[in-house]
Amino acid sequence: MIELRHLRYLVAAAEAGSFSRAARALNIKQATLSRHILNVEKRLGLALFDRRTRGATLTRDGETYLRTAQRIVDEWEELNAWVRSTRNGEAGRLGVGFYTSFAAGNLRASLSEFGERHPEVKLCGFERDRKMLLAGIENRVLDIAIMVGESPCPGLLNRSFWSERMMVAMPEDHRLAACEKIHWADLIGERFLLTQRDPGPESCNMIFSKLGMPGYSPEIDMEDIGRDTVLSIIALGMHISIVEESTLGIHVPGVVFREVHETNGHARIGFSGYWREDNENAVLRRFLKFVTARYSMPSVPVPQPSSQQTGKEPS
């Protein structure tokens, strides 16, 4: 039976133009190489090399046979390279679910950098609400879901990834639009509009925890609408909203954003990744390692919005 190693011997001899040079390149004895090539010729009933000339010269039958042999060897090497890449997570597919703006922020930056580092990985993004994301993980449609909050989900592993600044989205002519800093107390008496989808519930809890007090409860309207619609309604002048930093990438005319400050700095909201413990996708393991390393750094630059988006003059 002709084996793959025999095809490698034939290809090496043809490329080297000499049995002795080919044997040295393969680190075997010339007699061993010559014997294997002769056995292949006997099995085929064809003379592949002309032994009447100096060196290893292919016959016409040899040229025809070697074209196919070369293709088989190349494809086998490519297949092995693919297996190695897939095993260590350098190639394959990663299904990422999220419900946050992809226009800016850490999610966009992270997936973009991971894709640049691993061009053989196909990143498939799915934007769904929390319930659908968790169902996607359970049904193995998704490898990982990135969601607001850091609360464990039954049956899933989770890890805190990053946090983003909380911003006030307001009409450009709002009384607070001229303020450099906005504190929670400045928002007392405002009417808030939030989406029922992420991160609306988290933002709602945050507003009540920061502004709620005896005799006063914040006025919060929660609607089953998306981020873009929330911002469009805010532009009409009836509401303000609390949004995460990644929303800065959505530009809606008439809306400006300002940071929310607390006594110890910016108000922030956390994002976490959730995945099945029995997910054996090597790309997922590589992605988790990448995100952990990226956000364990002292400072991770995130693409900043333009002055037009924030409503501030460039410094």
Side-chain angles (χ1 to χ4, degrees):
M1 183 177 67
I2 299 174
E3 302 175 8
L4 182 65
R5 63 190 177 101
H6 299 143
L7 298 184
R8 287 199 177 102
Y9 293 162
L10 296 174
V11 170
E15 290 179 344
S18 163
F19 285 1
S20 60
R21 287 195 294 270
R24 286 195 298 272
L26 294 168
N27 197 28
I28 61 175
K29 294 181 179 180
Q30 179 179 341
T32 301
L33 177 68
S34 298
R35 184 177 69 254
H36 281 300
I37 291 178
L38 182 60
N39 288 338
V40 169
E41 291 177 318
K42 287 181 178 179
R43 286 182 177 277
L44 295 176
L46 298 172
L48 302 179
F49 291 91
D50 187 351
R51 290 169 173 77
R52 293 173 300 176
T53 60
R54 297 183 62 184
T57 304
L58 288 171
T59 63
R60 180 168 297 181
D61 288 336
E63 291 176 352
T64 301
Y65 188 83
L66 260 292
R67 281 197 292 270
T68 300
Q70 180 72 68
R71 186 175 70 251
I72 292 172
V73 171
D74 290 344
E75 290 179 350
W76 180 258
E77 294 297 338
E78 290 177 3
L79 180 60
N80 280 338
W82 175 81
V83 170
R84 288 192 297 271
S85 296
T86 301
R87 187 183 298 126
N88 62 24
E90 293 179 354
R93 174 189 179 277
L94 184 69
V96 182
F98 57 90
Y99 190 76
T100 184
S101 174
F102 197 69
N106 287 317
L107 176 64
R108 178 186 176 92
S110 298
L111 292 183
S112 176
E113 183 178 340
F114 184 79
E116 290 174 358
R117 291 190 183 187
H118 306 287
E120 298 302 315
V121 171
K122 181 179 181 181
L123 293 171
C124 301
F126 300 84
E127 184 177 6
R128 301 289 189 273
D129 61 24
R130 179 178 292 262
K131 182 178 180 180
M132 292 296 292
L133 292 179
L134 293 176
I137 293 291
E138 183 64 28
N139 297 331
R140 302 180 187 274
V141 175
L142 299 177
D143 292 297
I144 187 168
I146 299 174
M147 300 183 292
V148 170
E150 302 176 7
S151 301
C153 292
L156 300 180
L157 298 178
N158 73 290
R159 182 181 301 171
S160 297
F161 278 175
W162 58 73
S163 65
E164 293 187 0
R165 295 174 297 164
M166 298 302 293
M167 315 291 293
V168 182
M170 65 184 74
E172 61 184 359
D173 58 355
H174 192 275
R175 63 180 180 86
L176 296 175
C179 298
E180 286 295 324
K181 292 184 178 180
I182 294 177
H183 295 85
W184 287 109
D186 298 327
L187 304 178
I188 294 175
E190 295 291 337
R191 183 181 179 188
F192 295 88
L193 176 64
L194 302 175
T195 172
Q196 292 179 0
R197 310 165 193 174
D198 283 346
E202 192 89 6
S203 300
C204 182
N205 292 336
M206 182 178 291
I207 293 170
F208 273 110
S209 68
K210 299 297 182 181
L211 301 184
M213 63 184 72
Y216 173 75
S217 181
E219 184 179 1
I220 302 176
D221 296 333
M222 298 195 70
E223 303 289 346
D224 187 15
I225 53 180
R227 292 177 300 270
D228 294 29
T229 305
V230 168
L231 296 179
S232 297
I233 294 174
I234 288 173
L236 300 178
M238 300 294 293
H239 301 79
I240 66 171
S241 188
I242 298 294
V243 298
E244 72 275 23
E245 183 177 353
S246 54
T247 309
L248 291 173
I250 304 174
H251 176 61
V252 175
V255 176
V256 296
F257 301 87
R258 294 291 181 267
E259 299 171 354
V260 182
H261 287 259
E262 299 181 329
T263 55
N264 58 347
H266 299 117
R268 307 190 72 88
I269 191 169
F271 286 78
S272 300
Y274 299 81
W275 67 95
R276 289 179 63 109
E277 184 176 8
D278 60 354
N279 188 325
E280 298 180 354
N281 186 353
V283 180
L284 172 61
R285 295 195 296 273
R286 181 168 287 272
F287 179 73
L288 292 171
K289 183 178 179 180
F290 162 78
V291 173
T292 300
R294 191 176 198 274
Y295 292 97
S296 64
M297 301 175 186
S299 175
V300 179
V302 177
Q304 296 297 314
S306 65
S307 58
Q308 183 181 20
Q309 290 172 306
T310 61
K312 294 182 180 179
E313 293 298 323
S315 56

